[in-house]
Amino acid sequence: MKEYFITFRSITMAQRGQSVLKSGGIPALLSRTPRWMEEKGCGYSLRLPPGHEGAAVERLREGGIPFSKLYLRREGGDIEELKP
């Protein structure tokens, strides 16, 4: 199953992001960023199911919540950085 990751530089911003998304009805699971992303300095991320990534990015921007990057992990495990 593919999934999306939105990364944050701090747990505080990730928690605020999760709250903003939740209030908008967007499911997001807060977790430590997988090791393959940690090297880029992003310690926490929100994991999103497919179909919610566009609304999530828009909602975070509207809420003034800064995030680092948006990634897609495909079913085969390939990772792609997306431009939000």
Side-chain angles (χ1 to χ4, degrees):
M1 177 174 117
K2 68 181 180 178
E3 62 186 339
Y4 292 84
F5 291 84
I6 299 176
T7 60
F8 298 84
R9 295 228 176 244
S10 72
I11 190 166
T12 302
M13 286 299 111
Q15 289 170 331
R16 287 181 186 168
Q18 184 183 37
S19 178
V20 164
L21 296 183
K22 191 176 212 177
S23 70
I26 300 170
L29 177 65
L30 175 64
S31 63
R32 290 280 302 161
T33 298
R35 288 211 182 271
W36 53 267
M37 282 190 273
E38 268 186 359
E39 295 168 2
K40 302 195 189 301
C42 306
Y44 293 88
S45 60
L46 295 177
R47 294 167 60 178
L48 307 164
H52 296 280
E53 65 282 356
V57 167
E58 183 178 327
R59 190 107 173 127
L60 290 172
R61 286 184 174 151
E62 288 173 357
I65 308 294
F67 61 92
S68 297
K69 298 190 179 203
L70 172 65
Y71 293 94
L72 165 62
R73 180 166 43 188
R74 299 185 189 282
E75 291 182 28
D78 293 336
I79 309 302
E80 178 183 353
E81 182 181 336
L82 304 175
K83 298 207 183 228

